[in-house]
C-alpha cells in the first residue's frame, strides 16, 4: 500500500488526458471536410465543372468565415449540401433540394438549417466566386430574388 488514492487519481487524469489528445489527433486525420465531399456530390448531381469550382470556393470561404466568427459547427455533409443549394439557386438548371438531400444523405430540413447559417454571408460568398461562373449569373439583386428566403432575413 505504498500508493495512495491521490497518486492513483493523478495517474488516472494523466491517462485520460493523453487518450483524449490521441483520439482528437486521430479523428482530425480521418475526418472528411465539406470541400472533400463536394466534388462527389456535384458530380452525382451532374453539375458543370465551373459550378463545382464555384461551390467548393464558396463553401471553403464560408468555413473560413465561420471559424473566424467562432460560429456553431454543422456536420460537414450538411454544409456541403447547403453550399450546393445556395450557389446553384440562381442557375436556370439548378438541382432540386430533394435531389441534393438524396445525394448528400442529409434531410432537407438539415440542409435548410445550414443554409440559414450561410445566407447572411451570401454577398461575400458570391463576390468571390470565379469570374467564369459569375458571368453566368444575374446581378446580386436578381440573385437575392432567386435565393430561398429565411426567417428574419
Amino acid at each position: 500500500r505504498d500508493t495512495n488514492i491521490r497518486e492513483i487519481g493523478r495517474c488516472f487524469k494523466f491517462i485520460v488526458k493523453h487518450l483524449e489528445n490521441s483520439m482528437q489527433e486521430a479523428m482530425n486525420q480521418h475526418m472528411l471536410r465539406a470541400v472533400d465531399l463536394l466534388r462527389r456530390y456535384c458530380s452525382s448531381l451532374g453539375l458543370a465543372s465551373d459550378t463545382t469550382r464555384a461551390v467548393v470556393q464558396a463553401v471553403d470561404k464560408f468555413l473560413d468565415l465561420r471559424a473566424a466568427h467562432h460560429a456553431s459547427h454543422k456536420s460537414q455533409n450538411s454544409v456541403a449540401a447547403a453550399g450546393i443549394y445556395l450557389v446553384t439557386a440562381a442557375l436556370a438548371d439548378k438541382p432540386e433540394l430533394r435531389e441534393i438531400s438524396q445525394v448528400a444523405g442529409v434531410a432537407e430540413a438539415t440542409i435548410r438549417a445550414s443554409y440559414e447559417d450561410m445566407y447572411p454571408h451570401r454577398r461575400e460568398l458570391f463576390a468571390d466566386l470565379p469570374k467564369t461562373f459569375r458571368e453566368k449569373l444575374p446581378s446580386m439583386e436578381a440573385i437575392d430574388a432567386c435565393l430561398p428566403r429565411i426567417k428574419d432575413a
Side-chain angles (χ1 to χ4, degrees):
R1 292 201 140 202
D2 292 333
T3 307
N4 63 26
I5 292 180
R6 272 196 186 141
E7 182 84 23
I8 293 171
R10 274 191 227 120
C11 290
F12 177 78
K13 286 178 183 176
F14 174 80
I15 292 169
V16 168
K17 185 176 180 179
H18 179 71
L19 288 174
E20 285 174 349
N21 290 341
S22 296
M23 289 297 292
Q24 188 63 40
E25 287 175 25
M27 287 184 66
N28 287 340
Q29 289 175 354
H30 299 293
M31 191 165 130
L32 283 176
R33 298 174 337 186
V35 292
D36 298 329
L37 301 168
L38 281 169
R39 283 183 178 43
R40 181 174 38 154
Y41 293 170
C42 290
S43 174
S44 295
L45 290 165
L47 299 178
S49 62
D50 62 333
T51 303
T52 299
R53 277 193 299 279
V55 172
V56 168
Q57 192 166 334
V59 169
D60 200 32
K61 170 95 176 176
F62 172 72
L63 292 172
D64 289 345
L65 289 169
R66 185 176 71 175
H69 291 89
H70 306 290
S72 69
H73 292 280
K74 304 278 188 207
S75 74
Q76 297 298 302
N77 51 345
S78 66
V79 170
I84 294 169
Y85 186 55
L86 175 76
V87 173
T88 62
L91 297 177
D93 189 25
K94 63 184 175 207
E96 295 292 323
L97 180 58
R98 175 184 40 79
E99 295 173 290
I100 298 169
S101 171
Q102 288 171 345
V103 165
V106 177
E108 291 178 30
T110 305
I111 295 172
R112 280 191 209 98
S114 288
Y115 172 80
E116 287 182 10
D117 290 345
M118 286 183 173
Y119 187 85
H121 304 285
R122 67 194 179 281
R123 291 184 180 269
E124 258 181 285
L125 299 176
F126 275 94
D128 289 343
L129 295 181
K131 185 178 179 184
T132 56
F133 182 77
R134 277 197 333 257
E135 289 171 351
K136 290 192 216 179
L137 300 174
S139 67
M140 194 62 215
E141 289 73 26
I143 291 170
D144 273 345
C146 294
L147 291 175
R149 296 278 179 246
I150 63 168
K151 299 173 209 122
D152 301 320

